[in-house]
Amino acid sequence: MDTTAAVIESLERAAEIGGDPTAAVYARYFTVCPESRAIMGHVDLHMQGRMLTEVLRLMMAVDPAADSAYLRFETTNHTGYGVGQQMYAPLLTALRDTVRDTLGEEWQPRHAASWADRIDSLLAQLDAAQRSA
């Protein structure tokens, strides 16, 4: 099973078990990255869900390189709101940890490895996007 497929599999199963993860992901994110709470103080759960949808789309992308222009645009926008590069990893790990906790015993080593690969890849893309913006 390739990396993307294992991530998608874990996300689908987590949704079956736990439903919409938005509130749980952001609660975890705000705990590990408290400066994000201040920046996102005006953002309601609906908008958090929309933002998480984009993160999920990026995590499931078959061709992550296709999103380079989008990532340049978004990193520039986020920088304007005070989002630092160091704030992306805690969001992605909050998502992974929420999925892992939702799956419980169904979380497999292939899921852990696939999530690590996808997170590393996406963080590298975000870094490159910010440098080229």
Side-chain angles (χ1 to χ4, degrees), residues 1 13 17 34 37 41 51-52 56 69 76 83 101 115 126 128:
M1 176 175 288
R13 184 64 182 132
I17 295 169
R37 182 185 304 273
M51 290 187 292
L52 187 60
L56 291 168
T76 299
V83 174
D101 291 354
W115 275 87
L126 287 163

Side-chain angles (χ1 to χ4, degrees), residues 57-111:
R57 184 185 67 75
L58 291 166
M59 288 297 297
M60 295 184 291
V62 175
D63 180 15
D67 288 306
S68 60
Y70 171 75
L71 291 174
R72 274 192 308 278
F73 173 78
E74 286 297 338
T75 56
T76 299
N77 284 344
H78 283 80
T79 299
Y81 288 111
V83 174
Q85 190 71 12
Q86 78 283 0
M87 298 172 92
Y88 294 118
L91 177 60
L92 297 175
T93 57
L95 173 59
R96 180 207 53 213
D97 293 350
T98 300
V99 170
R100 181 197 63 216
D101 291 354
T102 301
L103 291 182
E105 292 182 9
E106 292 184 39
W107 181 259
Q108 300 294 317
R110 73 178 187 281
H111 296 133

Side-chain angles (χ1 to χ4, degrees), residues 1-88:
M1 176 175 288
D2 71 51
T3 299
T4 304
V7 169
I8 292 170
E9 172 194 288
S10 66
L11 286 166
E12 288 175 341
R13 184 64 182 132
E16 290 170 2
I17 295 169
D20 182 357
T22 303
V25 169
Y26 279 99
R28 188 182 298 258
Y29 176 52
F30 294 151
T31 298
V32 299
C33 188
E35 65 268 29
S36 65
R37 182 185 304 273
I39 292 171
M40 295 181 67
H42 67 286
V43 178
D44 64 10
L45 189 60
H46 173 74
M47 183 54 77
Q48 289 174 359
R50 289 182 61 199
M51 290 187 292
L52 187 60
T53 296
E54 283 303 305
V55 172
L56 291 168
R57 184 185 67 75
L58 291 166
M59 288 297 297
M60 295 184 291
V62 175
D63 180 15
D67 288 306
S68 60
Y70 171 75
L71 291 174
R72 274 192 308 278
F73 173 78
E74 286 297 338
T75 56
T76 299
N77 284 344
H78 283 80
T79 299
Y81 288 111
V83 174
Q85 190 71 12
Q86 78 283 0
M87 298 172 92
Y88 294 118

